[in-house]
Structures are given as structure tokens and as C-alpha cells.
């Protein structure tokens, strides 16, 4: 019975994706909606992303340095380990899981509140495709999400450099040499490909839970919690699959 319910929900999700791109809202209205979503979802997330990235990058550098107890191991590995950790996993994946809580809860609660207060029904009565009106601007806004992850990568490595150098664990030259060592440009491509897919999940899964919720104000909170769980699970699952496909061969 549980399996049938999950399959039904997955089917409904894909039908929702199809409906989002039907019967487009006119551009003069859509343009303002997109700018509002960019402000809420992208610009509104920069502060928390910058703060977390800088300090986690510093922690990665310190943890790496503290584990390099053998004097024969070169100190430039601190920079190498920080770069690899931040670019490959921390910035694209774990920031996305954090954003599933911040962005996802915001999207679910805002759409869920519209469902509870019957604003979505009012849009449908006026002949507006409510899914296109509500979800499409979020998808377009989150096309800028790789920009957020790029800032996260930069600040993560910068935090590692500051922690390593000013903490006395390594010199600036050694850290920079390690950060440049054996750099593979495809790793950046891999990280941004993941980010774009995660952005689509961040825009649509919380919207799905908000749009199809039933009940009152209490259920809006529950829907936000459920959307965070499922968005996080989906991001981690896709992360495994994409890593195997793009880096595993």
C-alpha cells in the first residue's frame, strides 16, 4: 500500500512538471515574478551560504592539518585536501542540503499558505495556469543557483587558506601550491552540472509538497518538514548517481 502511494506521488510530480510549462503566463507579469524569486531565493541566500562556506572551509583545513602528524607528509596537502573537499562535495552537495531547509521550507510554506487561503483556487478561476504562475519563476530564478555555489567554492577555499596560514599550520605559498596541485578542470564542470540538477530539485519538490497539501495552517508546517526530508533524500541520491556516472568511469 505504501509503495503504491509513493508511485502515485512520483507520477503526480512528473505530471506537475509537464503542467508547469503549459499555458505560459504573459511575459509582462512573469518578468516581475522572476525578479521577486531571484531576490527571495538567490540574493536572500547569499549571506548564510557565505558564512557557512568560509568557516567550514577553515574547519576542513584545520582538521586536515591536525591529521598530518607525520613530518614526512608535505604541508601543501592541506591546500589540496581543502580544494578537493570544497569543490567536489561541500559546495555543491552540502550547501544544497542546507538550501533544502532554507529555500525549500520557504517555497513549501508560501505555496501551501496560498493553497490554504484558496488563492490558488482564485488563480484557476481567473483562467491562470497556477503551476506556471507559481513554480516557473522559481525554476528560472534557480538557474542562477550555480552562481551561489561558485561563491561558496571561493569562500570555502579562502576560509581554508586563512585558517591554515593564520592558524600556523602551513605557509601561504604551500597552501596555494597545494590548491593548484593536479587541478582537473572537469571537476568544476562536474560540480556545476550537479548544481543545476539540484537547483531543479530545490525548485520543484518543495513546490509539489506545497501545491498539493491539504488541511490548514498546521499542515503547512508538516508539508515544509516533509518537503525538506524528501528534497534532501533526492539530492543525496542524485549526488551518488551523478558521481558514479561522471567520475566513476
Amino acid at each position: 500500500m505504501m509503495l503504491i502511494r509513493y508511485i502515485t506521488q512520483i507520477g503526480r510530480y512528473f505530471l506537475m512538471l509537464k503542467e508547469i510549462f503549459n499555458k505560459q503566463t504573459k511575459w509582462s507579469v512573469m518578468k516581475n515574478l522572476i525578479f521577486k524569486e531571484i531576490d527571495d531565493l538567490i540574493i536572500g541566500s547569499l549571506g548564510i551560504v557565505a558564512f557557512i562556506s568560509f568557516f567550514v572551509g577553515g574547519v576542513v583545513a584545520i582538521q586536515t592539518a591536525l591529521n598530518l602528524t607525520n613530518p614526512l607528509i608535505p604541508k601543501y596537502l592541506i591546500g589540496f585536501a581543502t580544494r578537493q573537499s570544497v569543490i567536489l562535495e561541500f559546495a555543491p552537495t552540502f550547501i544544497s542540503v542546507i538550501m533544502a531547509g532554507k529555500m525549500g521550507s520557504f517555497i513549501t510554506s508560501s505555496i501551501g499558505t496560498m493553497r490554504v487561503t484558496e488563492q490558488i483556487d482564485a488563480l484557476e478561476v481567473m483562467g491562470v495556469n497556477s503551476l506556471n504562475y507559481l513554480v516557473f519563476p522559481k525554476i528560472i530564478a534557480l538557474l542562477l543557483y550555480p552562481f551561489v555555489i561558485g561563491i561558496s567554492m571561493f569562500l570555502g577555499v579562502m576560509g581554508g587558506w586563512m585558517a591554515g596560514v593564520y592558524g600556523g599550520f602551513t605557509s601561504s605559498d604551500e597552501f596555494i601550491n597545494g590548491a593548484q596541485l593536479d587541478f582537473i578542470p572537469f571537476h568544476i564542470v562536474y560540480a556545476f552540472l550537479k548544481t543545476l540538477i539540484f537547483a531543479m530539485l530545490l525548485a520543484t519538490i518543495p513546490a509539489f509538497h506545497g501545491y498539493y497539501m491539504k488541511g490548514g495552517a498546521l499542515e503547512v508546517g508538516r508539508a515544509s518538514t516533509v518537503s525538506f526530508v524528501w528534497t534532501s533524500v533526492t539530492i543525496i541520491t542524485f549526488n551518488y548517481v551523478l558521481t558514479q556516472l561522471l567520475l566513476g568511469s
Side-chain angles (χ1 to χ4, degrees):
M1 200 67 188
M2 188 76 76
L3 179 62
I4 292 171
R5 203 178 104 224
Y6 285 146
I7 292 170
T8 303
Q9 290 289 82
I10 291 168
R12 186 189 268 187
Y13 171 75
F14 283 106
L15 288 172
M16 182 196 81
L17 291 184
K18 176 177 173 290
E19 188 63 28
I20 287 169
F21 298 97
N22 287 339
K23 198 181 172 189
Q24 295 284 324
T25 306
K26 59 183 180 180
W27 174 245
S28 59
V29 176
M30 183 60 71
K31 179 177 62 176
N32 294 328
L33 293 173
I34 290 170
F35 283 128
K36 182 181 181 302
E37 298 297 350
I38 289 172
D39 185 46
D40 288 340
L41 301 177
I42 301 298
I43 296 172
S45 300
L46 288 176
I48 186 69
V49 168
F51 179 82
I52 292 172
S53 301
F54 184 83
F55 284 101
V56 170
V59 168
V60 169
I62 292 169
Q63 293 277 20
T64 305
L66 293 175
N67 282 285
L68 295 180
T69 52
N70 190 326
L72 297 176
I73 299 175
K75 294 290 185 184
Y76 64 72
L77 285 179
I78 297 170
F80 177 79
T82 303
R83 183 201 77 203
Q84 291 296 88
S85 301
V86 168
I87 289 178
L88 288 176
E89 279 309 310
F90 170 72
T93 305
F94 291 101
I95 288 293
S96 295
V97 171
I98 293 165
M99 288 300 104
K102 186 190 180 298
M103 287 184 192
S105 296
F106 173 77
I107 291 170
T108 304
S109 58
S110 60
I111 295 178
T113 302
M114 291 184 72
R115 171 63 75 189
V116 168
T117 55
E118 299 181 349
Q119 294 178 57
I120 292 176
D121 297 328
L123 287 172
E124 295 287 348
V125 168
M126 289 189 292
V128 176
N129 179 356
S130 57
L131 278 169
N132 178 261
Y133 184 87
L134 295 171
V135 185
F136 186 74
K138 293 173 174 56
I139 294 173
I140 298 301
L142 279 167
L143 291 177
L144 294 175
Y145 185 57
F147 168 72
V148 176
I149 298 304
I151 290 174
S152 174
M153 290 177 183
F154 171 77
L155 288 175
V157 175
M158 180 64 69
W161 175 79
M162 290 193 73
V165 173
Y166 293 103
F169 298 105
T170 182
S171 69
S172 180
D173 286 342
E174 282 178 320
F175 186 94
I176 292 169
N177 286 339
Q180 295 174 334
L181 179 70
D182 291 337
F183 176 67
I184 301 172
F186 181 71
H187 285 172
I188 299 288
V189 177
Y190 156 78
F192 282 128
L193 277 174
K194 284 204 303 188
T195 300
L196 277 172
I197 292 170
F198 295 163
M200 184 70 177
L201 298 174
L202 283 169
T204 55
I205 295 177
F208 171 80
H209 285 282
Y211 189 84
Y212 290 109
M213 63 145 290
K214 293 181 175 68
L218 185 61
E219 279 69 26
V220 173
R222 285 180 182 157
S224 296
T225 304
V226 171
S227 83
F228 167 67
V229 171
W230 280 110
T231 307
S232 302
V233 167
T234 311
I235 284 171
I236 297 296
T237 305
F238 268 79
N239 182 51
Y240 174 81
V241 173
L242 290 168
T243 302
Q244 184 66 38
L245 286 175
L246 297 174
L247 298 182
S249 56

